[in-house]
Amino acid sequence: MCNLHPSLLHIGLVNIQGGAVSQFTDICRINVKGGDGGAGCMSFRREAFVPKGGPDGGDGGHGGDVVIQADAQLSSLIDYRFKHHFRAEAGTHGKGSRKDGADGKDLILKVPMGTVIRELDPTTMEPAYDLADLTHDGERVVVAPGGTGGLGNPHFVTSTRRAPAFAQKGEPAIEHWIELEMKLMADAALVGFPSVGKSSLIARMSAARPKIADYPFTTLVPNLGMVRAGEYSYVVADVPGLIEGAAEGKGLGHQFLRHVERTALILHVVDITGSYEGRDPLEDYRIINDELRRYASDLADRPQIVVANKCDASGVADRVQALKMAALEDGHEFFAVSALTGAGLQTLMLACGERVSELRRAIAEEQAAAPAFDEEKWERARKARDKRFRVLQEEPGAWRVTGTNLERMVVQTDWENEEAIIYLQHRMARMGVDDALIKAGCKNGDEVRILGYAFDFEGIDDDGDYEDDVEFIEFDVDDEELATEDSQPEVGEEDPDVLA
């Protein structure tokens, strides 16, 4: 095996037929589940000479979170190619004498910078929405929160309920599938048709050593190389060749167009000889630009340098001039080079370095004007989603209420304990569930369903007005709404933060 430059991130090896498996993996799906929360303890202090010792059950421990963290030392998702299920540690149960259960340990999964994390729809297994886009080293997001530990019975003491005979169960953690998609974070990307010499160029410009041969083939995985030219240093990506229709999924190149999205500069390589098929270089230039535009409209406006390769061949002067005129008309710089002889490469590398430096300064100025990097923004977004609940009419006289925090309260309730059920009704009313059902058109006697439980609605007078035509409604629970005077906890109640 060849010795690679230490600054190189060369992530394509031989194929399976060669006896080894390629280590480049840029998209994968994994199943994650946080640790279950431990149950709270219902206990009373019983000690000699201490009459009416009162409740002393401990709280259950919180389950560990599954956290995904960006790591600058990684360059592939190979760690998740063969292992797809990840579980965090569960919390332990509370005990008497106010002994709280231990919290489960978080499970941290490291991914390369530039990884996009998406929630998958459990029915179709198609991406539903983005959870995070980790572009900074150390940036992290909780993708599978651990279950909340149940509260012991001391938390439910009030001025009128002096000896609560119930405690909360631990919350089971949610298990779900997510998609990890890595997008290379290079300064410049070499794009073009297959066999136009992109691999030869990156091998000439950097210490990268992709496969190069004297017969037509296409690179199967992207390659990264560190380029040093004069005072400039930058990273170039060799993206597998594109063909006409790549934006619609034809060929292999469309799988790697995502890696072009993050690059600041596009190096559009054109085989000036027309390759083995005798194509028209000018037509190739226009086809690739059209594919970039159709895949993502902003790529058409991305700074681009047009590179005419294989200019050492004879009889190509007219083609070089025609391509140069087309590139200049489109506002792009143009360079004629030869990856074989090295002609024109130093000038190209210096021009690229200067352009990348300018783009870096512009990006730095934009970032300086933008708000400071916020490590907690993805966590706040997750908590905001958890606060929402929805009311949906499944059939006449039957309503379904869904929501992460609401469902958490339900699963933590001991349904064999009447006191616990009354407490749940109190909490749901304070969250605004009753008001939401009334607004949606729920009537007395209608069935309200939450998870696998069903209730008879008794929240309004029979003379109330209804909105029978409403079938779906979504609500955002505001913390300020819970802070109003009529929604304060009763005296002595240590109120759990059910919305956190």
Side-chain angles (χ1 to χ4, degrees), residues 378-419:
W378 300 114
E379 182 64 11
R380 286 199 302 272
R382 180 187 66 82
K383 289 182 177 181
R385 289 194 300 269
D386 289 351
K387 290 179 182 180
R388 302 188 183 100
F389 65 89
R390 296 179 176 182
V391 176
L392 171 69
Q393 186 173 17
E394 291 189 327
E395 57 186 86
W399 303 80
R400 170 73 62 181
V401 185
T402 60
T404 301
N405 286 334
L406 177 63
E407 292 171 352
R408 176 186 301 152
M409 291 165 49
V410 171
V411 299
Q412 289 187 282
T413 298
D414 182 359
W415 290 92
E416 297 181 359
N417 189 304
E418 185 176 354
E419 281 189 60

CSV table of all heavy atoms in Angstrom, one decimal, residues 378-419:
chain,number,residue,atom,x,y,z
A,378,TRP,N,-29.7,22.9,18.1
A,378,TRP,CA,-30.4,21.7,17.7
A,378,TRP,C,-31.2,21.1,18.8
A,378,TRP,O,-32.3,20.6,18.7
A,378,TRP,CB,-29.4,20.7,17.1
A,378,TRP,CG,-28.7,21.2,15.9
A,378,TRP,CD1,-27.4,21.4,15.8
A,378,TRP,CD2,-29.3,21.6,14.6
A,378,TRP,NE1,-27.1,21.9,14.5
A,378,TRP,CE2,-28.2,22.0,13.8
A,378,TRP,CE3,-30.6,21.6,14.1
A,378,TRP,CZ2,-28.4,22.4,12.5
A,378,TRP,CZ3,-30.8,22.0,12.8
A,378,TRP,CH2,-29.7,22.4,12.0
A,379,GLU,N,-30.6,21.3,20.1
A,379,GLU,CA,-31.3,20.7,21.2
A,379,GLU,C,-32.6,21.6,21.5
A,379,GLU,O,-33.6,21.0,21.8
A,379,GLU,CB,-30.4,20.8,22.4
A,379,GLU,CG,-31.0,20.2,23.7
A,379,GLU,CD,-31.3,18.7,23.6
A,379,GLU,OE1,-30.9,18.1,22.6
A,379,GLU,OE2,-32.0,18.2,24.5
A,380,ARG,N,-32.5,22.9,21.4
A,380,ARG,CA,-33.7,23.7,21.6
A,380,ARG,C,-34.8,23.4,20.5
A,380,ARG,O,-36.0,23.4,20.8
A,380,ARG,CB,-33.3,25.2,21.5
A,380,ARG,CG,-32.6,25.7,22.7
A,380,ARG,CD,-32.6,27.2,22.9
A,380,ARG,NE,-32.1,27.8,21.7
A,380,ARG,CZ,-30.8,28.1,21.5
A,380,ARG,NH1,-29.9,27.8,22.5
A,380,ARG,NH2,-30.4,28.7,20.5
A,381,ALA,N,-34.3,23.1,19.3
A,381,ALA,CA,-35.3,22.8,18.2
A,381,ALA,C,-36.0,21.5,18.6
A,381,ALA,O,-37.2,21.4,18.3
A,381,ALA,CB,-34.6,22.7,16.9
A,382,ARG,N,-35.3,20.5,19.1
A,382,ARG,CA,-35.9,19.3,19.5
A,382,ARG,C,-36.9,19.5,20.6
A,382,ARG,O,-38.0,18.9,20.5
A,382,ARG,CB,-34.8,18.3,19.9
A,382,ARG,CG,-35.4,16.9,20.3
A,382,ARG,CD,-34.3,16.0,20.9
A,382,ARG,NE,-33.8,16.5,22.2
A,382,ARG,CZ,-34.4,16.3,23.3
A,382,ARG,NH1,-35.6,15.7,23.4
A,382,ARG,NH2,-33.9,16.8,24.4
A,383,LYS,N,-36.5,20.2,21.6
A,383,LYS,CA,-37.5,20.5,22.7
A,383,LYS,C,-38.7,21.2,22.2
A,383,LYS,O,-39.8,21.0,22.7
A,383,LYS,CB,-36.8,21.3,23.8
A,383,LYS,CG,-35.7,20.4,24.6
A,383,LYS,CD,-35.1,21.2,25.7
A,383,LYS,CE,-34.1,20.4,26.5
A,383,LYS,NZ,-33.5,21.1,27.6
A,384,ALA,N,-38.5,22.1,21.3
A,384,ALA,CA,-39.7,22.9,20.8
A,384,ALA,C,-40.6,21.9,20.0
A,384,ALA,O,-41.9,22.0,20.1
A,384,ALA,CB,-39.2,24.0,19.8
A,385,ARG,N,-40.1,20.9,19.3
A,385,ARG,CA,-40.9,19.9,18.6
A,385,ARG,C,-41.7,19.1,19.7
A,385,ARG,O,-42.8,18.7,19.5
A,385,ARG,CB,-40.1,19.0,17.7
A,385,ARG,CG,-39.6,19.7,16.5
A,385,ARG,CD,-39.1,18.7,15.5
A,385,ARG,NE,-38.0,17.9,16.0
A,385,ARG,CZ,-36.7,18.2,15.9
A,385,ARG,NH1,-36.3,19.3,15.3
A,385,ARG,NH2,-35.8,17.5,16.4
A,386,ASP,N,-41.0,18.8,20.8
A,386,ASP,CA,-41.6,17.9,21.8
A,386,ASP,C,-42.8,18.6,22.5
A,386,ASP,O,-43.7,17.9,23.0
A,386,ASP,CB,-40.5,17.5,22.8
A,386,ASP,CG,-39.5,16.5,22.3
A,386,ASP,OD1,-39.7,16.0,21.2
A,386,ASP,OD2,-38.5,16.3,23.0
A,387,LYS,N,-42.8,19.9,22.5
A,387,LYS,CA,-43.8,20.6,23.2
A,387,LYS,C,-45.1,20.6,22.4
A,387,LYS,O,-46.2,20.8,23.0
A,387,LYS,CB,-43.4,22.1,23.4
A,387,LYS,CG,-42.3,22.3,24.5
A,387,LYS,CD,-42.0,23.8,24.6
A,387,LYS,CE,-40.8,24.0,25.6
A,387,LYS,NZ,-40.5,25.4,25.7
A,388,ARG,N,-45.1,20.4,21.1
A,388,ARG,CA,-46.3,20.5,20.3
A,388,ARG,C,-47.2,19.2,20.5
A,388,ARG,O,-46.6,18.2,20.8
A,388,ARG,CB,-45.9,20.6,18.9
A,388,ARG,CG,-45.1,21.8,18.5
A,388,ARG,CD,-45.0,22.0,17.0
A,388,ARG,NE,-44.1,23.1,16.7
A,388,ARG,CZ,-42.8,22.9,16.4
A,388,ARG,NH1,-42.3,21.7,16.3
A,388,ARG,NH2,-42.1,24.0,16.1
A,389,PHE,N,-48.5,19.4,20.5
A,389,PHE,CA,-49.4,18.3,20.4
A,389,PHE,C,-50.4,18.5,19.4
A,389,PHE,O,-50.7,19.7,19.0
A,389,PHE,CB,-50.0,18.0,21.8
A,389,PHE,CG,-50.9,19.0,22.3
A,389,PHE,CD1,-52.2,19.0,22.1
A,389,PHE,CD2,-50.4,20.0,23.2
A,389,PHE,CE1,-53.1,20.0,22.6
A,389,PHE,CE2,-51.2,21.0,23.7
A,389,PHE,CZ,-52.6,21.0,23.4
A,390,ARG,N,-51.0,17.5,18.9
A,390,ARG,CA,-52.0,17.6,17.8
A,390,ARG,C,-53.3,16.9,18.2
A,390,ARG,O,-53.3,15.9,18.9
A,390,ARG,CB,-51.4,16.9,16.5
A,390,ARG,CG,-50.2,17.6,15.9
A,390,ARG,CD,-49.7,16.8,14.7
A,390,ARG,NE,-48.6,17.5,14.1
A,390,ARG,CZ,-48.0,17.1,12.9
A,390,ARG,NH1,-48.5,16.0,12.3
A,390,ARG,NH2,-47.0,17.8,12.4
A,391,VAL,N,-54.4,17.4,17.6
A,391,VAL,CA,-55.7,16.8,17.8
A,391,VAL,C,-56.2,16.5,16.5
A,391,VAL,O,-56.3,17.3,15.6
A,391,VAL,CB,-56.7,17.8,18.6
A,391,VAL,CG1,-58.0,17.2,18.7
A,391,VAL,CG2,-56.1,18.1,19.9
A,392,LEU,N,-56.6,15.2,16.3
A,392,LEU,CA,-57.1,14.7,15.0
A,392,LEU,C,-58.3,13.9,15.2
A,392,LEU,O,-58.4,13.0,16.1
A,392,LEU,CB,-56.0,13.8,14.3
A,392,LEU,CG,-56.4,13.0,13.1
A,392,LEU,CD1,-56.6,14.0,11.9
A,392,LEU,CD2,-55.3,12.0,12.7
A,393,GLN,N,-59.4,14.2,14.4
A,393,GLN,CA,-60.6,13.4,14.5
A,393,GLN,C,-60.4,12.2,13.6
A,393,GLN,O,-60.3,12.2,12.4
A,393,GLN,CB,-61.8,14.2,14.0
A,393,GLN,CG,-63.1,13.5,14.2
A,393,GLN,CD,-64.3,14.3,13.9
A,393,GLN,OE1,-64.2,15.4,13.2
A,393,GLN,NE2,-65.5,13.9,14.4
A,394,GLU,N,-60.4,11.0,14.2
A,394,GLU,CA,-60.2,9.7,13.5
A,394,GLU,C,-61.5,9.2,12.9
A,394,GLU,O,-61.5,8.6,11.8
A,394,GLU,CB,-59.6,8.7,14.4
A,394,GLU,CG,-58.2,9.0,14.9
A,394,GLU,CD,-57.5,7.8,15.6
A,394,GLU,OE1,-58.3,7.1,16.3
A,394,GLU,OE2,-56.3,7.6,15.5
A,395,GLU,N,-62.6,9.5,13.6
A,395,GLU,CA,-63.9,9.0,13.1
A,395,GLU,C,-64.9,9.8,13.9
A,395,GLU,O,-64.6,10.5,14.9
A,395,GLU,CB,-64.1,7.5,13.3
A,395,GLU,CG,-63.9,7.1,14.8
A,395,GLU,CD,-64.0,5.6,14.9
A,395,GLU,OE1,-62.9,4.9,14.7
A,395,GLU,OE2,-65.1,5.1,15.2
A,396,PRO,N,-66.2,9.8,13.5
A,396,PRO,CA,-67.2,10.6,14.3
A,396,PRO,C,-67.2,10.1,15.7
A,396,PRO,O,-67.4,8.9,16.0
A,396,PRO,CB,-68.5,10.3,13.6
A,396,PRO,CG,-68.1,9.9,12.2
A,396,PRO,CD,-66.7,9.3,12.3
A,397,GLY,N,-67.1,11.1,16.6
A,397,GLY,CA,-67.1,10.8,18.1
A,397,GLY,C,-65.8,10.2,18.6
A,397,GLY,O,-65.8,9.8,19.8
A,398,ALA,N,-64.7,10.2,17.8
A,398,ALA,CA,-63.5,9.7,18.3
A,398,ALA,C,-62.3,10.6,17.9
A,398,ALA,O,-62.2,11.0,16.7
A,398,ALA,CB,-63.2,8.3,17.8
A,399,TRP,N,-61.5,11.0,18.9
A,399,TRP,CA,-60.4,11.9,18.6
A,399,TRP,C,-59.1,11.3,19.1
A,399,TRP,O,-59.0,10.6,20.1
A,399,TRP,CB,-60.7,13.2,19.4
A,399,TRP,CG,-62.0,13.9,19.0
A,399,TRP,CD1,-63.2,13.5,19.5
A,399,TRP,CD2,-62.1,14.9,18.1
A,399,TRP,NE1,-64.2,14.3,18.9
A,399,TRP,CE2,-63.5,15.2,18.0
A,399,TRP,CE3,-61.3,15.7,17.3
A,399,TRP,CZ2,-64.1,16.2,17.3
A,399,TRP,CZ3,-61.8,16.7,16.5
A,399,TRP,CH2,-63.2,16.9,16.5
A,400,ARG,N,-58.0,11.6,18.3
A,400,ARG,CA,-56.7,11.2,18.7
A,400,ARG,C,-55.8,12.4,19.0
A,400,ARG,O,-55.8,13.3,18.3
A,400,ARG,CB,-56.1,10.4,17.5
A,400,ARG,CG,-54.6,10.1,17.6
A,400,ARG,CD,-54.3,9.0,18.6
A,400,ARG,NE,-54.9,7.7,18.2
A,400,ARG,CZ,-54.9,6.6,18.9
A,400,ARG,NH1,-54.2,6.6,20.1
A,400,ARG,NH2,-55.5,5.5,18.5
A,401,VAL,N,-55.2,12.3,20.2
A,401,VAL,CA,-54.3,13.4,20.6
A,401,VAL,C,-52.8,12.8,20.6
A,401,VAL,O,-52.6,11.8,21.3
A,401,VAL,CB,-54.6,13.9,22.0
A,401,VAL,CG1,-53.7,15.1,22.4
A,401,VAL,CG2,-56.1,14.4,22.0
A,402,THR,N,-51.9,13.5,19.9
A,402,THR,CA,-50.5,13.0,19.9
A,402,THR,C,-49.6,14.1,20.3
A,402,THR,O,-49.9,15.3,20.0
A,402,THR,CB,-50.2,12.5,18.5
A,402,THR,OG1,-50.3,13.6,17.5
A,402,THR,CG2,-51.0,11.3,18.1
A,403,GLY,N,-48.5,13.8,20.8
A,403,GLY,CA,-47.5,14.8,21.2
A,403,GLY,C,-46.5,14.1,22.1
A,403,GLY,O,-46.8,13.3,23.0
A,404,THR,N,-45.2,14.5,21.9
A,404,THR,CA,-44.1,13.8,22.7
A,404,THR,C,-44.3,13.9,24.2
A,404,THR,O,-44.3,13.0,24.9
A,404,THR,CB,-42.8,14.3,22.2
A,404,THR,OG1,-42.6,14.1,20.8
A,404,THR,CG2,-41.6,13.6,23.0
A,405,ASN,N,-44.4,15.2,24.7
A,405,ASN,CA,-44.5,15.4,26.1
A,405,ASN,C,-45.8,14.9,26.7
A,405,ASN,O,-45.8,14.4,27.8
A,405,ASN,CB,-44.3,16.9,26.4
A,405,ASN,CG,-42.9,17.4,26.2
A,405,ASN,OD1,-42.0,16.6,26.4
A,405,ASN,ND2,-42.7,18.7,25.9
A,406,LEU,N,-46.9,15.0,25.9
A,406,LEU,CA,-48.2,14.5,26.4
A,406,LEU,C,-48.1,13.0,26.5
A,406,LEU,O,-48.6,12.4,27.5
A,406,LEU,CB,-49.2,14.9,25.4
A,406,LEU,CG,-50.7,14.4,25.7
A,406,LEU,CD1,-51.2,15.0,27.0
A,406,LEU,CD2,-51.6,14.8,24.6
A,407,GLU,N,-47.6,12.3,25.5
A,407,GLU,CA,-47.5,10.9,25.6
A,407,GLU,C,-46.5,10.4,26.7
A,407,GLU,O,-46.7,9.4,27.3
A,407,GLU,CB,-47.0,10.3,24.2
A,407,GLU,CG,-48.1,10.5,23.1
A,407,GLU,CD,-47.6,10.2,21.7
A,407,GLU,OE1,-46.4,10.0,21.6
A,407,GLU,OE2,-48.4,10.2,20.8
A,408,ARG,N,-45.5,11.2,27.0
A,408,ARG,CA,-44.6,10.9,28.1
A,408,ARG,C,-45.4,10.9,29.4
A,408,ARG,O,-45.2,10.0,30.2
A,408,ARG,CB,-43.5,11.9,28.1
A,408,ARG,CG,-42.5,11.7,29.3
A,408,ARG,CD,-41.5,12.9,29.4
A,408,ARG,NE,-40.8,12.9,28.2
A,408,ARG,CZ,-40.2,14.0,27.7
A,408,ARG,NH1,-40.4,15.2,28.3
A,408,ARG,NH2,-39.5,14.0,26.6
A,409,MET,N,-46.3,11.8,29.6
A,409,MET,CA,-47.0,11.9,30.8
A,409,MET,C,-47.9,10.6,30.9
A,409,MET,O,-48.1,10.1,32.0
A,409,MET,CB,-47.9,13.1,30.8
A,409,MET,CG,-47.1,14.4,31.0
A,409,MET,SD,-48.1,15.9,30.6
A,409,MET,CE,-49.6,15.6,31.5
A,410,VAL,N,-48.5,10.2,29.8
A,410,VAL,CA,-49.4,9.1,29.8
A,410,VAL,C,-48.7,7.8,30.2
A,410,VAL,O,-49.2,7.0,31.0
A,410,VAL,CB,-50.2,9.0,28.5
A,410,VAL,CG1,-51.0,7.7,28.4
A,410,VAL,CG2,-51.1,10.2,28.3
A,411,VAL,N,-47.6,7.6,29.6
A,411,VAL,CA,-46.9,6.3,29.8
A,411,VAL,C,-46.2,6.3,31.2
A,411,VAL,O,-45.9,5.2,31.7
A,411,VAL,CB,-45.8,6.0,28.7
A,411,VAL,CG1,-46.4,5.9,27.4
A,411,VAL,CG2,-44.7,7.1,28.8
A,412,GLN,N,-46.1,7.4,31.8
A,412,GLN,CA,-45.5,7.4,33.2
A,412,GLN,C,-46.6,7.3,34.3
A,412,GLN,O,-46.2,7.3,35.4
A,412,GLN,CB,-44.7,8.7,33.4
A,412,GLN,CG,-43.4,8.8,32.6
A,412,GLN,CD,-42.6,10.0,33.0
A,412,GLN,OE1,-42.8,11.1,32.6
A,412,GLN,NE2,-41.6,9.8,33.8
A,413,THR,N,-47.8,7.2,33.8
A,413,THR,CA,-48.9,7.1,34.8
A,413,THR,C,-49.2,5.7,35.2
A,413,THR,O,-49.2,4.8,34.3
A,413,THR,CB,-50.2,7.8,34.2
A,413,THR,OG1,-49.9,9.2,34.0
A,413,THR,CG2,-51.3,7.7,35.2
A,414,ASP,N,-49.4,5.4,36.5
A,414,ASP,CA,-49.8,4.1,37.0
A,414,ASP,C,-51.3,4.0,36.8
A,414,ASP,O,-52.1,4.6,37.6
A,414,ASP,CB,-49.4,4.0,38.4
A,414,ASP,CG,-49.7,2.6,39.0
A,414,ASP,OD1,-50.3,1.8,38.2
A,414,ASP,OD2,-49.4,2.4,40.2
A,415,TRP,N,-51.8,3.3,35.8
A,415,TRP,CA,-53.2,3.3,35.5
A,415,TRP,C,-54.0,2.4,36.5
A,415,TRP,O,-55.2,2.4,36.4
A,415,TRP,CB,-53.4,2.8,34.1
A,415,TRP,CG,-52.9,3.8,33.1
A,415,TRP,CD1,-51.7,3.9,32.5
A,415,TRP,CD2,-53.7,4.9,32.6
A,415,TRP,NE1,-51.6,5.1,31.7
A,415,TRP,CE2,-52.9,5.7,31.8
A,415,TRP,CE3,-55.0,5.4,32.8
A,415,TRP,CZ2,-53.3,6.8,31.1
A,415,TRP,CZ3,-55.4,6.5,32.2
A,415,TRP,CH2,-54.6,7.2,31.3
A,416,GLU,N,-53.4,1.8,37.4
A,416,GLU,CA,-54.1,1.0,38.4
A,416,GLU,C,-54.3,1.8,39.7
A,416,GLU,O,-54.8,1.3,40.7
A,416,GLU,CB,-53.4,-0.3,38.7
A,416,GLU,CG,-53.3,-1.2,37.5
A,416,GLU,CD,-52.6,-2.5,37.8
A,416,GLU,OE1,-52.1,-2.7,38.9
A,416,GLU,OE2,-52.5,-3.4,36.9
A,417,ASN,N,-53.8,3.1,39.6
A,417,ASN,CA,-53.8,3.9,40.8
A,417,ASN,C,-54.7,5.1,40.5
A,417,ASN,O,-54.4,5.9,39.6
A,417,ASN,CB,-52.4,4.4,41.2
A,417,ASN,CG,-52.4,5.1,42.6
A,417,ASN,OD1,-53.1,6.0,42.8
A,417,ASN,ND2,-51.6,4.5,43.5
A,418,GLU,N,-55.9,5.2,41.2
A,418,GLU,CA,-56.8,6.3,41.0
A,418,GLU,C,-56.2,7.7,41.2
A,418,GLU,O,-56.5,8.6,40.4
A,418,GLU,CB,-58.1,6.1,41.8
A,418,GLU,CG,-59.2,7.1,41.5
A,418,GLU,CD,-60.4,6.8,42.3
A,418,GLU,OE1,-60.5,5.8,43.0
A,418,GLU,OE2,-61.4,7.7,42.2
A,419,GLU,N,-55.4,7.8,42.2
A,419,GLU,CA,-54.8,9.1,42.5
A,419,GLU,C,-53.9,9.5,41.3
A,419,GLU,O,-53.8,10.7,41.0
A,419,GLU,CB,-53.9,9.0,43.8
A,419,GLU,CG,-54.7,9.1,45.1
A,419,GLU,CD,-53.8,9.2,46.3
A,419,GLU,OE1,-53.0,10.2,46.3
A,419,GLU,OE2,-53.8,8.3,47.1
